[in-house]
Amino acid sequence: MKDPNHPRVLVTGGSGFLGSHLCERLLNQGADVLCVDNFYTGSKRNIVHLLESPYFELLRHDITFPLYVEVDQIYNLACPASPIHYQYDPVQTTKVNVHGSINMLGLAKRLRVPILQASTSEVYGDPTEHPQREDYWGRVNPIGPRACYDEGKRCAETLFFDYHRQHGLRIKVARIFNTYGPRMHPHDGRVVSNFIIQALTRRPITIYGDGSQTRSFCYVDDMVEGLIRMMNTPDHVTGPVNLGNPEETSILELAERIRALSGGGSEIIFLPPPPDDPVRRRPDITLAKDLLDWEPRTPLEEGLRRTIDYFDDLLRKSPHLAPET
Ligand code: NAD
Ligand code: UDP
């Protein structure tokens, strides 16, 4: 039975990096959280502390298969997010975005509940407009190694908007830019976790290319706040809305900051850049400010310190989690 004091919220991908923080915040706000995950890149380690709550439920399930549950809101986060993980099984990456989205949209349609899609700045590809605004259509290579993710997420957006137009579904599309923080997967190869682990283990910090490419890094707590605000907008607000930090940093600058904050022992080395690596990325968040009264609050230095503390603790307790190379 529906309990007005504890709205039932489904989080797909809830044991992943972003999903686990979202589940935790929703629980703290009084929600009855159903976390659905197939543990492809997620981990029980991320949500084990939530299991003792009677308002938290964990279901091992792959969303490329239909799901029949009763909930009041759906956050659709299930999808590997790091290039290493989403390129490991590219067909599955496209499937989770297309079949998975169709299944979750079907669920939202049956239940008549709002559904939020965790979309991505990757829909802009390697952009020619800077900073990226929501009305920019992007520049994506449809046949490259990143396409399974970029085109998968673009198709998911198409599906969300067609369900909205065709079936009147209440959709919320958030375009998430690079987000970092505790509980990033230690092996996912993303730049913040890679550099921190390399710096903490006094191994060379690997810059792909010359390090002049830029990204804009948002701390996870700020991102979760943005996602929840987006979900709770009035029905006519569909997005897409950019969520991210407009402060742009070069990868070389990031390497130097992480090295300094971690004790300074590592050398910085330069390796060949991966194919289709976007050169610049920075969100225009005017829309998020207007619609959600939201902007990131955590300075990069503070967010990096908290993330370094997390990995330091993780590697002390579980040294086997350090990648071998
Ligand atoms: P993550 O890999 O840590 O989390 C993804 C979660 O989805 C994992 O727990 C994984 O096991 C689960 N999952 C994957 N396939 C599934 C399936 N078929 N069925 C059920 N569960 C499945 O990644 P994240 O960084 O937490 O990203 C979460 C979402 O946010 C993703 O959709 C991602 O595309 C999006 N996003 C993240 C970022 C970022 O910087 N972290 C940026 C843009 C978009
Ligand atoms: N990168 C790097 N060294 C690493 C990992 C990543 O120089 O060890 C670079 C990567 O080439 C890209 C940027 O950092 O230019 C961000 O990479 P990430 O995989 O974190 O995310 P995305 O490319 O999806 O933004």
Side-chain angles (χ1 to χ4, degrees), residues 200-216:
L200 287 174
T201 55
R202 302 289 182 262
R203 280 183 280 188
I205 297 181
T206 54
I207 291 188
Y208 304 152
D210 62 6
S212 63
Q213 71 270 39
T214 66
R215 295 293 187 272
S216 308

Side-chain angles (χ1 to χ4, degrees), residues 83 122 146 178 189-191 194-195 198 206-208 213 215 251 274 277 281:
E122 292 283 328
R146 295 175 86 102
N178 295 66
R190 278 187 276 191
V191 67
N194 250 20
F195 285 1
Q198 289 164 343
T206 54
I207 291 188
Y208 304 152
Q213 71 270 39
R215 295 293 187 272
I251 295 303
D277 198 17
R281 197 186 282 149

